[in-house]
PDB file of all heavy atoms in Angstrom:
ATOM      1  N   GLY W  19     -11.713 -72.662-129.792  1.00  0.00           N
ATOM      2  CA  GLY W  19     -11.878 -73.485-128.601  1.00  0.00           C
ATOM      3  C   GLY W  19     -10.913 -74.662-128.617  1.00  0.00           C
ATOM      4  O   GLY W  19     -10.208 -74.916-129.579  1.00  0.00           O
ATOM      5  N   GLY W  20     -10.910 -75.383-127.506  1.00  0.00           N
ATOM      6  CA  GLY W  20     -10.046 -76.593-127.402  1.00  0.00           C
ATOM      7  C   GLY W  20      -9.888 -77.003-125.958  1.00  0.00           C
ATOM      8  O   GLY W  20     -10.584 -76.527-125.067  1.00  0.00           O
ATOM      9  N   LEU W  21      -8.926 -77.903-125.776  1.00  0.00           N
ATOM     10  CA  LEU W  21      -8.604 -78.431-124.458  1.00  0.00           C
ATOM     11  C   LEU W  21      -7.399 -77.685-123.938  1.00  0.00           C
ATOM     12  O   LEU W  21      -6.357 -77.582-124.626  1.00  0.00           O
ATOM     13  CB  LEU W  21      -8.300 -79.908-124.544  1.00  0.00           C
ATOM     14  CG  LEU W  21      -7.780 -80.589-123.279  1.00  0.00           C
ATOM     15  CD1 LEU W  21      -8.848 -80.520-122.175  1.00  0.00           C
ATOM     16  CD2 LEU W  21      -7.398 -82.052-123.576  1.00  0.00           C
ATOM     17  N   VAL W  22      -7.477 -77.166-122.723  1.00  0.00           N
ATOM     18  CA  VAL W  22      -6.374 -76.404-122.127  1.00  0.00           C
ATOM     19  C   VAL W  22      -6.309 -76.737-120.652  1.00  0.00           C
ATOM     20  O   VAL W  22      -7.316 -77.073-120.018  1.00  0.00           O
ATOM     21  CB  VAL W  22      -6.619 -74.888-122.344  1.00  0.00           C
ATOM     22  CG1 VAL W  22      -7.867 -74.384-121.627  1.00  0.00           C
ATOM     23  CG2 VAL W  22      -5.389 -74.074-121.902  1.00  0.00           C
ATOM     24  N   GLN W  23      -5.090 -76.720-120.112  1.00  0.00           N
ATOM     25  CA  GLN W  23      -4.884 -76.997-118.703  1.00  0.00           C
ATOM     26  C   GLN W  23      -5.311 -75.778-117.838  1.00  0.00           C
ATOM     27  O   GLN W  23      -5.272 -74.660-118.330  1.00  0.00           O
ATOM     28  CB  GLN W  23      -3.433 -77.338-118.463  1.00  0.00           C
ATOM     29  CG  GLN W  23      -2.989 -78.635-119.064  1.00  0.00           C
ATOM     30  CD  GLN W  23      -1.584 -79.036-118.668  1.00  0.00           C
ATOM     31  OE1 GLN W  23      -0.801 -78.203-118.188  1.00  0.00           O
ATOM     32  NE2 GLN W  23      -1.246 -80.295-118.817  1.00  0.00           N
ATOM     33  N   PRO W  24      -5.689 -76.052-116.620  1.00  0.00           N
ATOM     34  CA  PRO W  24      -5.976 -74.915-115.703  1.00  0.00           C
ATOM     35  C   PRO W  24      -4.806 -73.927-115.665  1.00  0.00           C
ATOM     36  O   PRO W  24      -3.640 -74.332-115.624  1.00  0.00           O
ATOM     37  CB  PRO W  24      -6.177 -75.610-114.357  1.00  0.00           C
ATOM     38  CG  PRO W  24      -6.668 -76.971-114.716  1.00  0.00           C
ATOM     39  CD  PRO W  24      -5.905 -77.340-115.955  1.00  0.00           C
ATOM     40  N   GLY W  25      -5.156 -72.667-115.709  1.00  0.00           N
ATOM     41  CA  GLY W  25      -4.159 -71.590-115.739  1.00  0.00           C
ATOM     42  C   GLY W  25      -3.746 -71.194-117.137  1.00  0.00           C
ATOM     43  O   GLY W  25      -3.039 -70.185-117.314  1.00  0.00           O
ATOM     44  N   GLY W  26      -4.187 -71.938-118.141  1.00  0.00           N
ATOM     45  CA  GLY W  26      -3.819 -71.632-119.513  1.00  0.00           C
ATOM     46  C   GLY W  26      -4.687 -70.548-120.107  1.00  0.00           C
ATOM     47  O   GLY W  26      -5.563 -69.977-119.466  1.00  0.00           O
ATOM     48  N   SER W  27      -4.420 -70.294-121.409  1.00  0.00           N
ATOM     49  CA  SER W  27      -5.136 -69.241-122.161  1.00  0.00           C
ATOM     50  C   SER W  27      -5.657 -69.769-123.480  1.00  0.00           C
ATOM     51  O   SER W  27      -5.096 -70.663-124.064  1.00  0.00           O
ATOM     52  CB  SER W  27      -4.199 -68.067-122.386  1.00  0.00           C
ATOM     53  OG  SER W  27      -3.748 -67.495-121.203  1.00  0.00           O
ATOM     54  N   LEU W  28      -6.706 -69.126-123.925  1.00  0.00           N
ATOM     55  CA  LEU W  28      -7.280 -69.361-125.269  1.00  0.00           C
ATOM     56  C   LEU W  28      -7.804 -68.038-125.773  1.00  0.00           C
ATOM     57  O   LEU W  28      -8.223 -67.185-124.990  1.00  0.00           O
ATOM     58  CB  LEU W  28      -8.414 -70.373-125.255  1.00  0.00           C
ATOM     59  CG  LEU W  28      -8.086 -71.873-125.087  1.00  0.00           C
ATOM     60  CD1 LEU W  28      -9.382 -72.660-124.943  1.00  0.00           C
ATOM     61  CD2 LEU W  28      -7.275 -72.366-126.285  1.00  0.00           C
ATOM     62  N   ARG W  29      -7.793 -67.896-127.101  1.00  0.00           N
ATOM     63  CA  ARG W  29      -8.477 -66.727-127.699  1.00  0.00           C
ATOM     64  C   ARG W  29      -9.521 -67.250-128.669  1.00  0.00           C
ATOM     65  O   ARG W  29      -9.219 -67.964-129.647  1.00  0.00           O
ATOM     66  CB  ARG W  29      -7.505 -65.827-128.458  1.00  0.00           C
ATOM     67  CG  ARG W  29      -8.151 -64.533-128.899  1.00  0.00           C
ATOM     68  CD  ARG W  29      -7.219 -63.591-129.580  1.00  0.00           C
ATOM     69  NE  ARG W  29      -6.933 -63.967-130.946  1.00  0.00           N
ATOM     70  CZ  ARG W  29      -6.474 -63.120-131.881  1.00  0.00           C
ATOM     71  NH1 ARG W  29      -6.263 -61.867-131.566  1.00  0.00           N
ATOM     72  NH2 ARG W  29      -6.198 -63.591-133.090  1.00  0.00           N
ATOM     73  N   LEU W  30     -10.762 -66.898-128.402  1.00  0.00           N
ATOM     74  CA  LEU W  30     -11.876 -67.277-129.263  1.00  0.00           C
ATOM     75  C   LEU W  30     -12.119 -66.183-130.276  1.00  0.00           C
ATOM     76  O   LEU W  30     -11.917 -64.987-129.970  1.00  0.00           O
ATOM     77  CB  LEU W  30     -13.145 -67.509-128.447  1.00  0.00           C
ATOM     78  CG  LEU W  30     -13.036 -68.500-127.275  1.00  0.00           C
ATOM     79  CD1 LEU W  30     -14.400 -68.671-126.629  1.00  0.00           C
ATOM     80  CD2 LEU W  30     -12.461 -69.828-127.728  1.00  0.00           C
ATOM     81  N   SER W  31     -12.533 -66.583-131.453  1.00  0.00           N
ATOM     82  CA  SER W  31     -12.871 -65.648-132.534  1.00  0.00           C
ATOM     83  C   SER W  31     -14.320 -65.854-132.944  1.00  0.00           C
ATOM     84  O   SER W  31     -14.799 -66.982-133.001  1.00  0.00           O
ATOM     85  CB  SER W  31     -11.947 -65.846-133.706  1.00  0.00           C
ATOM     86  OG  SER W  31     -10.589 -65.628-133.365  1.00  0.00           O
ATOM     87  N   CYS W  32     -14.964 -64.756-133.297  1.00  0.00           N
ATOM     88  CA  CYS W  32     -16.329 -64.788-133.849  1.00  0.00           C
ATOM     89  C   CYS W  32     -16.294 -63.969-135.113  1.00  0.00           C
ATOM     90  O   CYS W  32     -16.227 -62.726-135.058  1.00  0.00           O
ATOM     91  CB  CYS W  32     -17.319 -64.228-132.837  1.00  0.00           C
ATOM     92  SG  CYS W  32     -19.006 -64.071-133.492  1.00  0.00           S
ATOM     93  N   ALA W  33     -16.346 -64.653-136.241  1.00  0.00           N
ATOM     94  CA  ALA W  33     -16.305 -63.974-137.526  1.00  0.00           C
ATOM     95  C   ALA W  33     -17.746 -63.786-138.032  1.00  0.00           C
ATOM     96  O   ALA W  33     -18.549 -64.709-137.976  1.00  0.00           O
ATOM     97  CB  ALA W  33     -15.541 -64.795-138.542  1.00  0.00           C
ATOM     98  N   ALA W  34     -18.043 -62.576-138.476  1.00  0.00           N
ATOM     99  CA  ALA W  34     -19.392 -62.257-138.929  1.00  0.00           C
ATOM    100  C   ALA W  34     -19.411 -62.066-140.443  1.00  0.00           C
ATOM    101  O   ALA W  34     -18.457 -61.589-141.038  1.00  0.00           O
ATOM    102  CB  ALA W  34     -19.858 -60.954-138.256  1.00  0.00           C
ATOM    103  N   SER W  35     -20.604 -62.439-141.022  1.00  0.00           N
ATOM    104  CA  SER W  35     -20.730 -62.315-142.475  1.00  0.00           C
ATOM    105  C   SER W  35     -20.966 -60.847-142.874  1.00  0.00           C
ATOM    106  O   SER W  35     -20.705 -60.457-144.004  1.00  0.00           O
ATOM    107  CB  SER W  35     -21.920 -63.164-142.949  1.00  0.00           C
ATOM    108  OG  SER W  35     -23.108 -62.739-142.307  1.00  0.00           O
ATOM    109  N   GLY W  36     -21.459 -60.068-141.925  1.00  0.00           N
ATOM    110  CA  GLY W  36     -21.680 -58.671-142.185  1.00  0.00           C
ATOM    111  C   GLY W  36     -20.973 -57.807-141.181  1.00  0.00           C
ATOM    112  O   GLY W  36     -19.960 -58.229-140.598  1.00  0.00           O
ATOM    113  N   SER W  37     -21.489 -56.630-140.949  1.00  0.00           N
ATOM    114  CA  SER W  37     -20.867 -55.756-139.989  1.00  0.00           C
ATOM    115  C   SER W  37     -20.918 -56.362-138.575  1.00  0.00           C
ATOM    116  O   SER W  37     -21.889 -56.966-138.166  1.00  0.00           O
ATOM    117  CB  SER W  37     -21.606 -54.406-139.959  1.00  0.00           C
ATOM    118  OG  SER W  37     -21.182 -53.630-138.841  1.00  0.00           O
ATOM    119  N   ILE W  38     -19.804 -56.215-137.874  1.00  0.00           N
ATOM    120  CA  ILE W  38     -19.753 -56.757-136.504  1.00  0.00           C
ATOM    121  C   ILE W  38     -20.415 -55.823-135.500  1.00  0.00           C
ATOM    122  O   ILE W  38     -20.421 -56.084-134.326  1.00  0.00           O
ATOM    123  CB  ILE W  38     -18.321 -57.062-136.062  1.00  0.00           C
ATOM    124  CG1 ILE W  38     -17.450 -55.821-136.035  1.00  0.00           C
ATOM    125  CG2 ILE W  38     -17.715 -58.146-136.919  1.00  0.00           C
ATOM    126  CD1 ILE W  38     -16.101 -56.027-135.436  1.00  0.00           C
ATOM    127  N   ALA W  39     -20.889 -54.699-135.984  1.00  0.00           N
ATOM    128  CA  ALA W  39     -21.575 -53.772-135.061  1.00  0.00           C
ATOM    129  C   ALA W  39     -22.744 -54.416-134.381  1.00  0.00           C
ATOM    130  O   ALA W  39     -23.158 -54.029-133.286  1.00  0.00           O
ATOM    131  CB  ALA W  39     -22.039 -52.524-135.816  1.00  0.00           C
ATOM    132  N   SER W  40     -23.323 -55.432-135.031  1.00  0.00           N
ATOM    133  CA  SER W  40     -24.499 -56.089-134.454  1.00  0.00           C
ATOM    134  C   SER W  40     -24.126 -57.127-133.373  1.00  0.00           C
ATOM    135  O   SER W  40     -24.990 -57.651-132.666  1.00  0.00           O
ATOM    136  CB  SER W  40     -25.314 -56.770-135.539  1.00  0.00           C
ATOM    137  OG  SER W  40     -24.514 -57.765-136.195  1.00  0.00           O
ATOM    138  N   ILE W  41     -22.822 -57.469-133.291  1.00  0.00           N
ATOM    139  CA  ILE W  41     -22.407 -58.530-132.309  1.00  0.00           C
ATOM    140  C   ILE W  41     -22.424 -57.880-130.942  1.00  0.00           C
ATOM    141  O   ILE W  41     -21.779 -56.872-130.674  1.00  0.00           O
ATOM    142  CB  ILE W  41     -21.034 -59.092-132.646  1.00  0.00           C
ATOM    143  CG1 ILE W  41     -21.110 -59.791-133.974  1.00  0.00           C
ATOM    144  CG2 ILE W  41     -20.589 -60.012-131.566  1.00  0.00           C
ATOM    145  CD1 ILE W  41     -19.761 -60.356-134.435  1.00  0.00           C
ATOM    146  N   LYS W  42     -23.185 -58.497-130.031  1.00  0.00           N
ATOM    147  CA  LYS W  42     -23.381 -57.935-128.686  1.00  0.00           C
ATOM    148  C   LYS W  42     -22.448 -58.546-127.669  1.00  0.00           C
ATOM    149  O   LYS W  42     -22.114 -57.862-126.686  1.00  0.00           O
ATOM    150  CB  LYS W  42     -24.836 -58.144-128.248  1.00  0.00           C
ATOM    151  CG  LYS W  42     -25.845 -57.501-129.187  1.00  0.00           C
ATOM    152  CD  LYS W  42     -25.557 -56.030-129.433  1.00  0.00           C
ATOM    153  CE  LYS W  42     -26.549 -55.395-130.384  1.00  0.00           C
ATOM    154  NZ  LYS W  42     -26.205 -54.006-130.721  1.00  0.00           N
ATOM    155  N   GLY W  43     -22.052 -59.795-127.845  1.00  0.00           N
ATOM    156  CA  GLY W  43     -21.189 -60.335-126.852  1.00  0.00           C
ATOM    157  C   GLY W  43     -20.993 -61.843-126.956  1.00  0.00           C
ATOM    158  O   GLY W  43     -21.435 -62.492-127.908  1.00  0.00           O
ATOM    159  N   TRP W  44     -20.343 -62.399-125.936  1.00  0.00           N
ATOM    160  CA  TRP W  44     -20.065 -63.827-125.831  1.00  0.00           C
ATOM    161  C   TRP W  44     -20.901 -64.381-124.656  1.00  0.00           C
ATOM    162  O   TRP W  44     -21.012 -63.774-123.592  1.00  0.00           O
ATOM    163  CB  TRP W  44     -18.588 -64.059-125.526  1.00  0.00           C
ATOM    164  CG  TRP W  44     -17.700 -63.876-126.712  1.00  0.00           C
ATOM    165  CD1 TRP W  44     -17.045 -62.732-127.072  1.00  0.00           C
ATOM    166  CD2 TRP W  44     -17.360 -64.855-127.676  1.00  0.00           C
ATOM    167  NE1 TRP W  44     -16.280 -62.954-128.185  1.00  0.00           N
ATOM    168  CE2 TRP W  44     -16.470 -64.262-128.606  1.00  0.00           C
ATOM    169  CE3 TRP W  44     -17.686 -66.201-127.857  1.00  0.00           C
ATOM    170  CZ2 TRP W  44     -15.910 -64.937-129.686  1.00  0.00           C
ATOM    171  CZ3 TRP W  44     -17.157 -66.887-128.929  1.00  0.00           C
ATOM    172  CH2 TRP W  44     -16.276 -66.256-129.834  1.00  0.00           C
ATOM    173  N   TYR W  45     -21.420 -65.573-124.904  1.00  0.00           N
ATOM    174  CA  TYR W  45     -22.168 -66.343-123.885  1.00  0.00           C
ATOM    175  C   TYR W  45     -21.519 -67.746-123.786  1.00  0.00           C
ATOM    176  O   TYR W  45     -20.775 -68.146-124.660  1.00  0.00           O
ATOM    177  CB  TYR W  45     -23.624 -66.513-124.300  1.00  0.00           C
ATOM    178  CG  TYR W  45     -24.399 -65.218-124.270  1.00  0.00           C
ATOM    179  CD1 TYR W  45     -24.168 -64.213-125.220  1.00  0.00           C
ATOM    180  CD2 TYR W  45     -25.365 -64.992-123.328  1.00  0.00           C
ATOM    181  CE1 TYR W  45     -24.883 -63.018-125.196  1.00  0.00           C
ATOM    182  CE2 TYR W  45     -26.127 -63.810-123.269  1.00  0.00           C
ATOM    183  CZ  TYR W  45     -25.859 -62.838-124.220  1.00  0.00           C
ATOM    184  OH  TYR W  45     -26.581 -61.659-124.196  1.00  0.00           O
ATOM    185  N   ARG W  46     -21.868 -68.416-122.715  1.00  0.00           N
ATOM    186  CA  ARG W  46     -21.408 -69.829-122.604  1.00  0.00           C
ATOM    187  C   ARG W  46     -22.504 -70.665-121.953  1.00  0.00           C
ATOM    188  O   ARG W  46     -23.326 -70.177-121.178  1.00  0.00           O
ATOM    189  CB  ARG W  46     -20.105 -69.905-121.797  1.00  0.00           C
ATOM    190  CG  ARG W  46     -20.218 -69.535-120.318  1.00  0.00           C
ATOM    191  CD  ARG W  46     -18.839 -69.538-119.685  1.00  0.00           C
ATOM    192  NE  ARG W  46     -18.884 -69.208-118.251  1.00  0.00           N
ATOM    193  CZ  ARG W  46     -17.793 -69.007-117.511  1.00  0.00           C
ATOM    194  NH1 ARG W  46     -16.561 -69.070-118.040  1.00  0.00           N
ATOM    195  NH2 ARG W  46     -17.914 -68.696-116.225  1.00  0.00           N
TER     196      ARG W  46
END
């Protein structure tokens, strides 16, 4: 995350301690 201007891009990462098969999605 961070500060970005309108029209810009970011890539968020979610690192898991175990298998990522359990990760269902992103919320805000």
Side-chain angles (χ1 to χ4, degrees):
L21 173 63
V22 63
Q23 292 187 342
S27 298
L28 284 174
R29 188 178 77 159
L30 306 183
S31 300
C32 174
S35 60
S37 169
I38 62 171
S40 62
I41 296 178
K42 301 306 179 185
W44 285 93
Y45 291 71
R46 68 185 180 189

